[in-house]
Amino acid sequence: VGAIIPWNAPIVNAAGKVAPALACGNSVILKPAEQAPLSSLELATIARDAGLPAGVLNVIPGTGEGAGAALVQHPDVDKIAFTGGTATGQVILKQAADTIKSVTLELGGKAPHIVFADADLDAAMMSALFSPFNHAGQICTAGTRLFVNCAFAEDFVAELVRRASALRLGDPSQPTTQIGPLISGEQQERVTGMVREAISEGARLRTGGGPPPGDDLARGYYFEPTVFDEVDPASNLAQHEVFGPVVSVFEFNDLDDLIVQANQVRYGLSASVWTSNIHTATELALRLDAGTVWINSVHKLDPSVPFSGFKASGLGSEYGTEAIDTYTRLKTVWTATRPQRLDWD
């Protein structure tokens, strides 16, 4: 098994692939992201010290174009398990076709975070802050599209803006920090470019919009928590993954129109719905194009529960017994209790 993981949550992503693969009797070659290889190397050290035989778990740091492509194209690798961007996932699918590999992909997301007027608004507000800004927005399940019922949208968004502007940026090793830096200067430039493009297209910037002012955080790739409204649903900001602390607010009134808007992106990884009406919650859970739907909660994951994406968010499942199927091969064996004699002459 070739396992290729991203730089965000590297130890979680490594364990989510390595554990079921090893449990099913496979050997694994783990390729961590070049920006964050250390936890994967430490995992290999722990496995060796625990008595795992040499060659069963192997960690090969390197670039995607180098080590990653070599894994995908090598004829002795039977399966690729990849977590990362959708564009890279498409490349992997094409490269794996030459050797007919089994491939599972956990790719990008553009999660809708939906708040109805009958929700617990205090809990929904905290979730609306946490989901897009946790880990500086660098998670595939970030609720970067906030849909708010128009009956109370003005007040809810004003409070969201107030709280977002008060979030504490700083050293991620400090317990008082709520938002740390982005992974790299390249990522900071990408987020900045998407924000500037959104402003030029007419989206209204409510707070944030760039690196924080002053010298205190100048040495890191920080980005202010950013809130937009009046966003064109067809714009890049609304349609594509930002992977930074940026949320776009949309208003809704009609349930059917909401579902159309929520599903009108190429991704289908996750969604969060906040309502006290069980019928509304159930209908959305059924009709939203998302592999995971959280009701009055967000970002809940458990190794015993499958995690998968629809559309451009991936193929196959991670976690749960469903993951076992992706690391095994089905074989049928017929055994006759007595030799079968065919009347063929």
Side-chain angles (χ1 to χ4, degrees):
V1 173
I4 303 173
I5 62 171
W7 45 260
N8 62 323
I11 191 63
V12 173
N13 279 299
K17 290 174 171 50
V18 170
L22 293 180
C24 291
N26 300 286
S27 59
V28 178
I29 301 173
L30 174 63
K31 206 293 284 185
E34 56 266 34
Q35 300 93 334
L38 297 183
S39 59
S40 294
L41 292 166
E42 184 63 22
L43 178 64
T45 300
I46 293 170
R48 180 200 63 193
D49 294 346
L52 194 70
V56 175
L57 174 59
N58 313 272
V59 177
I60 302 179
T63 65
E65 296 83 355
L71 271 180
V72 174
Q73 296 170 2
H74 201 286
D76 291 338
V77 175
D78 297 314
K79 174 184 176 56
I80 292 293
F82 171 76
T83 295
T86 297
T88 305
Q90 291 173 312
V91 172
I92 287 173
L93 270 180
K94 293 174 182 177
Q95 292 178 340
D98 290 338
T99 48
I100 318 295
K101 283 180 172 54
S102 169
V103 177
T104 53
L105 304 171
E106 196 268 281
L107 305 176
K110 195 68 179 173
H113 192 286
I114 301 167
V115 183
F116 287 85
D118 60 7
D120 181 332
L121 295 183
D122 288 337
M125 175 62 69
M126 189 60 68
S127 177
L129 280 169
F130 178 80
S131 185
F133 300 137
N134 171 49
H135 202 42
Q138 299 171 119
I139 51 176
C140 54
T141 55
T144 55
R145 292 185 298 144
L146 176 61
F147 292 88
V148 185
N149 189 287
C150 61
F152 66 101
E154 183 176 351
D155 291 341
F156 190 89
V157 175
E159 180 63 12
L160 175 73
V161 169
R162 186 190 70 80
R163 294 197 191 190
S165 62
L167 292 173
R168 298 182 297 274
L169 282 71
D171 184 343
S173 67
Q174 298 302 310
T176 56
T177 295
Q178 292 173 292
I179 299 181
L182 298 174
I183 185 65
S184 65
E186 179 184 7
Q187 184 64 15
Q188 187 188 52
E189 290 175 6
R190 180 179 182 276
V191 175
T192 300
M194 292 189 72
V195 166
R196 288 176 178 170
E197 180 186 42
I199 293 172
S200 71
E201 293 176 342
R204 182 169 64 158
L205 178 65
R206 298 292 299 269
T207 189
D215 297 330
D216 292 346
L217 302 176
R219 294 184 61 190
Y221 302 117
Y222 292 90
F223 203 92
E224 296 173 308
T226 299
V227 179
F228 279 100
D229 61 9
E230 300 181 9
V231 178
D232 181 353
S235 66
N236 280 335
L237 185 66
Q239 289 291 317
H240 297 289
E241 205 170 28
V242 179
F243 239 59
V246 181
V247 62
S248 302
V249 180
F250 304 90
E251 296 184 19
F252 72 89
N253 185 35
D254 178 75
L255 182 63
D256 290 331
D257 180 60
L258 163 67
I259 293 170
V260 169
Q261 288 189 69
N263 289 340
Q264 212 164 33
V265 294
R266 66 191 298 230
Y267 302 102
L269 188 60
S270 63
S272 181
V273 177
W274 292 81
T275 178
S276 60
N277 188 318
I278 187 61
H279 301 292
T280 300
T282 301
E283 183 170 359
L284 283 165
L286 291 172
R287 295 177 64 186
L288 288 172
D289 283 339
T292 295
V293 178
W294 293 292
I295 306 297
N296 295 324
S297 60
V298 73
H299 293 190
K300 295 176 72 67
L301 296 173
D302 189 285
S304 66
V305 178
F307 181 72
S308 58
F310 298 166
K311 302 191 293 190
S313 288
L315 295 172
S317 295
E318 296 198 324
Y319 306 146
T321 56
E322 289 77 7
I324 301 302
D325 294 336
T326 71
Y327 293 104
T328 55
R329 295 184 296 189
L330 181 63
K331 179 183 290 188
T332 300
V333 178
W334 291 78
T335 302
T337 56
R338 64 182 66 183
Q340 182 180 13
R341 301 186 182 278
L342 298 173
D343 186 10
W344 189 243
D345 55 9

